Amino acid sequence: AQRVTQPEKLLSVFKGAPVELKCNYSYSGSPELFWYVQYSRQRLQLLLRHISRESIKGFTADLNKGETSFHLKKPFAQEEDSAMYYCAPWGVANFGNEKLTFGTGTRLTIIP
Amino acid sequence: DTAVSQTPKYLVTQMGNDKSIKCEQNLGHDTMYWYKQDSKKFLKIMFSYNNKELIINETVPNRFSPKSPDKAHLNLHINSLELGDSAVYFCASSQDGLGGRGIEAFFGQGTRLTVV
């Protein structure tokens, strides 16, 4: 069965310190991996996707197929990074239908 | 223009009532979804439709019935509302995910349903 694990429900980091949000997944096949973010009072939105190998707002995420991990990192945290972050694999669900599955989320709080 | 819009934004109702949440997307996407976010912020898929056809139904009670009059709309109707239905419901859409890579899902702003 597909499973996404974000071990930290809450994470507090001082401004300027490095940030790492952990994500491990258990998924059949080769899912696409995404990070979504939900800022306070805003809609859920895409932060980045592994296939693009991009850096968005200073965040990067490396897909480690051996460890089945997709941790989100930023070298220097900023106050505006405070938000709820969801790791989300996109892959084949039951009966061959693809779907986006969300981890339990990590609430990141940046301490000024 | 809002890509995915949901109405209403807030919904407070009594137990036992029937209510609907509407969702519309103007992105030309083929696939639409309903997700439920509970009080602990867990996001879980409920349904997905592709070109008006039900694709995914994730062990949701029969009281929940999605309806897709066309591929730009996916409404959620809930019968006999219960206290446990209180949550934020998100509608989303994407291009056809089958065989796609890096498909992004676009979300509505959410509907906060409170059952009293």
Side-chain angles (χ1 to χ4, degrees), chain A residues 73-93:
Chain A
K73 299 178 182 179
K74 184 170 182 176
F76 307 103
Q78 297 173 290
E79 288 185 61
E80 55 265 33
D81 296 330
S82 293
M84 195 78 181
Y85 291 81
Y86 293 92
C87 178
W90 180 294
V92 177

Side-chain angles (χ1 to χ4, degrees), chain A residues 30-90:
Chain A
S30 298
E32 305 289 341
L33 274 297
F34 299 81
W35 275 97
Y36 279 79
V37 61
Q38 188 176 23
Y39 299 103
S40 178
R41 302 184 185 281
Q42 293 188 28
R43 66 186 68 206
L44 196 65
Q45 57 189 288
L46 177 68
L47 179 62
L48 56 78
R49 67 197 88 183
H50 92 269
I51 194 172
S52 302
R53 297 184 181 278
E54 56 202 346
S55 173
I56 303 294
K57 298 184 179 183
F59 284 98
T60 58
D62 289 325
L63 177 61
N64 185 322
K65 291 187 178 180
E67 295 179 358
T68 59
S69 67
F70 189 53
H71 303 328
L72 183 68
K73 299 178 182 179
K74 184 170 182 176
F76 307 103
Q78 297 173 290
E79 288 185 61
E80 55 265 33
D81 296 330
S82 293
M84 195 78 181
Y85 291 81
Y86 293 92
C87 178
W90 180 294

